[in-house]
Amino acid sequence: MQDFEDRMKERWQQRRKKAYNWQKLLLMALVLVAIWYTMARLQNADNIVSTPSASSVDSLAKDAEQNP
């Protein structure tokens, strides 16, 4: 019976060691922050208003003014 209890304690300790993997936890937190940052950037990308650099000239409007 003592041998069985020792095995159970050993298995419990091994499971706890696997659960407390700080490197994995840190990596997951960094990925979560990266996802939030990317989502914020994508949300703000829709608010950018682009204006054309060349001005458009309506050639028909000038002809209508000249020919009454």
Side-chain angles (χ1 to χ4, degrees):
M1 190 68 173
Q2 184 69 22
D3 188 38
F4 179 73
E5 288 178 8
D6 290 340
R7 276 194 233 156
M8 291 302 289
K9 283 183 181 179
E10 185 178 328
R11 287 182 185 170
W12 178 254
Q13 288 174 351
Q14 286 177 351
R15 286 183 185 167
R16 288 191 65 184
K17 286 180 185 176
K18 288 180 184 178
Y20 291 115
N21 190 353
W22 294 108
Q23 295 167 345
K24 183 178 177 181
L25 181 65
L26 182 62
L27 180 65
M28 289 172 58
L30 289 174
V31 168
L32 182 64
V33 169
I35 290 172
W36 277 337
Y37 177 75
T38 305
M39 288 176 61
R41 294 281 294 180
L42 288 174
Q43 187 177 10
N44 290 337
D46 190 29
N47 298 336
I48 297 173
V49 178
S50 62
T51 58
S53 59
S55 61
S56 60
V57 178
D58 189 6
S59 61
L60 296 176
K62 287 184 179 179
D63 291 340
E65 290 175 5
Q66 292 175 356
N67 296 330

